[in-house]
Amino acid sequence: MMSTTNELFDVAVLGGGPAGITSALAAARSGAKTILIERYGFLGGMSTAALVYPWMTFHTAAGDQVIRGIAQEIVERLMAMGASPGHLRDTIGFVHTVTPYDGEKYKLLAFEMLKEAGVTLMLHSFITGADAEDGRIRSVTIHNKSGVASIQARCYVDATGDGDVAYYAGAPWEMGNEEQKVQPMTMKFRLKGVRHDAIKQYMQSHPEQFYKKSLIDQLDELPITGVMGYYDLWAKAALPIARDGVLMFAGPGEDEVLVNISRISGLDPTNTAHLTEAEVEGRKQVYQLEDFFQTYIPGFENAYVSQVAPQIGVRETRRVIGEYILTGTDVLSARKFHDCIARSGYPIDIHDPKGAGVTANFIAEGGAYDIPYRSIVPKGMVNLWLAGRCISTSHEAQATARLTPSCMALGQAAGTAAALAAKQDCAASDLSIEQLQQALLDAGAELGR
């Protein structure tokens, strides 16, 4: 039996990841009666459920900060809690900065900030449907321990990552590259008992074995934040994992690293059977990798797995088709849009859907690209906005827009837009871009003006 809540919300945000958190905060701070619904018993999405760490990046390659607003507020509040050192130079050299953080304290901070803003929070609740007619969503269906319920709101934000709300509401979508293949999944994990001094010494003694942009000549002044390489040792080990080297990030503990190496390719993350297979294979790879580090990498002789992500990390699923599809050309040319609602300086970063490599293409002149409002408005939908990796992009552009700081900025934009539309009783496509941009600027967002 389905129950219907008696409350009518102005804004319902579905999904409590980085995009959903900032979306709900932005909507509530804009005066909207807001509910945030999340399937886990904690918030943070891929940042906490899949151990996506560190956040990268709030800056362009030239060092200009292009993501601020609520995302920056979260970083500063984590810093005040002793849960983040803030933005640090990326010693891999792939981006200008990375932002380490304590995932457990991020979960706590998200709860605190949402409570302060007056957001109604519903955890352990899984969205299973949407009642929509002529592009207008009337309600969404959720399942939880209490049974089946219908949540009604004037406006909705899809922050599920997979575009679930848009999918159930009948919005158009696509997935993957020209062969419908998506980027591989990764089971992330932490190793504890690591000697960072040994990592530094090996890098300085074997610079040719690391990513060409690595800041090895600056390691006497900079703390190691990330490492990509050990190409010779990786090749010698000949593990059955389709990677070409080691990728790991320091912290948050002094003797810890976060390992981003495992790779499960050729599966569809929206298919439950495929997800199940990925979870099993991913955990198998974790312990193959633990043995590899202990055997081959100096400084890891006594290292051990201290944490495995609660779920497999997903890079790419549905991309909902919006009023504009952001392209790889838009990104690499640092294109400006009149309806910009977020910016990013992260390069196009595609993990080969079939092979071992990563294709990286960098933005012109170390700059940033704009994300237009039209890319967070699904085509044909009246009261739905997109936030996070499911926004309207090409396969190439999704490979940059999917990164956490970008998703945070998109969440703030979507939540603000939904709140304004609820107040004005207007369709997403009729909302004043100038009014939305001014509201974002007033809230500290960076739009390049």
Side-chain angles (χ1 to χ4, degrees), residues 15-229:
I21 292 167
T22 56
S23 182
L25 287 171
R29 290 177 179 182
S30 297
K33 183 179 180 180
T34 305
I35 185 170
L36 174 60
I37 298 170
E38 164 58 34
R39 61 175 172 163
Y40 285 118
F42 55 88
L43 300 172
M46 290 292 102
S47 288
T48 53
L51 300 186
V52 173
Y53 169 97
W55 292 329
M56 52 194 301
T57 178
F58 285 68
H59 296 77
T60 66
D64 298 319
Q65 186 164 350
V66 291
I67 296 175
R68 298 182 188 273
I70 295 175
Q72 178 61 29
E73 178 188 346
I74 289 171
V75 173
E76 291 172 0
R77 290 188 62 163
L78 285 170
M79 292 173 68
M81 296 169 66
S84 174
H87 309 306
L88 303 178
R89 286 301 303 274
D90 172 25
T91 51
I92 294 175
F94 190 75
V95 293
H96 189 76
T97 63
V98 296
T99 310
Y101 64 96
D102 184 314
E104 296 305 316
K105 291 183 179 178
Y106 175 43
K107 293 176 185 176
L108 177 62
L109 175 63
F111 286 150
E112 291 176 352
M113 293 180 70
L114 291 165
K115 183 178 181 180
E116 292 167 5
V119 175
T120 298
L121 181 61
M122 185 177 289
L123 300 177
H124 295 292
S125 299
F126 208 101
I127 178 171
T128 57
D131 177 15
E133 184 175 351
D134 297 327
R136 181 178 293 277
I137 300 177
R138 295 176 176 175
S139 66
V140 295
T141 303
I142 60 168
H143 283 63
N144 55 30
K145 288 292 184 180
S146 300
V148 184
S150 175
I151 305 296
Q152 296 179 319
R154 292 184 173 87
C155 297
Y156 299 82
V157 176
D158 187 338
T160 62
D162 300 323
D164 290 339
V165 183
Y167 171 74
Y168 289 130
W173 58 277
E174 56 189 2
M175 190 165 72
N177 59 16
E178 64 279 358
E179 299 174 345
Q180 287 75 55
K181 301 297 184 183
V182 299
Q183 295 191 61
M185 291 177 271
T186 292
M187 182 64 77
K188 294 182 172 66
F189 64 97
R190 281 198 166 88
L191 290 172
K192 196 168 177 61
V194 177
R195 290 176 42 232
H196 286 192
D197 60 327
I199 297 174
K200 173 181 170 182
Q201 291 168 8
Y202 193 89
M203 292 179 71
Q204 291 174 326
S205 300
H206 305 81
E208 74 285 353
Q209 292 300 329
F210 294 88
Y211 180 60
K212 60 184 178 181
K213 292 186 178 182
S214 296
L215 306 184
I216 296 174
D217 60 346
Q218 300 180 46
L219 290 183
D220 286 332
E221 293 78 37
L222 294 175
I224 293 175
T225 54
V227 179
M228 184 157 64

Side-chain angles (χ1 to χ4, degrees), residues 252-426:
E254 292 184 357
D255 65 341
E256 283 183 316
V257 297
L258 185 285
V259 180
N260 180 349
I261 301 178
S262 89
R263 177 169 285 192
I264 298 93
S265 302
L267 300 178
D268 175 1
T270 65
N271 180 304
T272 301
H274 287 198
L275 266 180
T276 301
E277 181 180 345
E279 295 283 1
V280 174
E281 174 61 23
R283 292 173 198 281
K284 174 183 175 182
Q285 290 185 9
V286 165
Y287 288 94
Q288 291 176 325
L289 288 164
E290 179 190 53
D291 181 69
F292 160 75
F293 274 96
Q294 293 170 343
T295 304
Y296 288 92
I297 307 295
F300 287 79
E301 295 83 359
N302 298 313
Y304 59 93
V305 172
S306 59
Q307 184 182 18
V308 181
Q311 74 146 81
I312 194 79
V314 178
R315 293 184 174 89
E316 180 182 13
T317 54
R318 302 184 191 99
R319 305 188 310 276
V320 181
I321 298 174
E323 295 186 350
Y324 182 82
I325 299 175
L326 186 73
T327 69
T329 300
D330 293 334
V331 170
L332 297 181
S333 64
R335 184 172 177 182
K336 307 300 179 187
F337 290 95
H338 76 278
D339 58 341
C340 170
I341 45 81
R343 305 179 73 213
S344 176
Y346 192 84
I348 290 178
D349 172 24
I350 302 177
H351 293 246
D352 191 330
K354 295 185 292 185
V358 175
T359 299
N361 292 290
F362 294 86
I363 301 169
E365 299 179 359
Y369 64 92
D370 290 355
I371 301 175
Y373 175 67
R374 289 163 292 160
S375 289
I376 68 170
V377 177
K379 184 176 290 186
M381 300 302 298
V382 176
N383 60 341
L384 176 63
W385 287 260
L386 307 170
R389 70 170 185 256
C390 63
I391 70 166
S392 180
T393 65
S394 68
H395 171 69
E396 292 75 21
Q398 192 269 352
T400 163
R402 67 182 174 85
L403 273 293
T404 305
S406 304
C407 289
M408 288 176 167
L410 289 165
Q412 182 170 356
T416 304
L420 289 172
K423 183 176 182 180
Q424 298 170 16
D425 192 25
C426 71

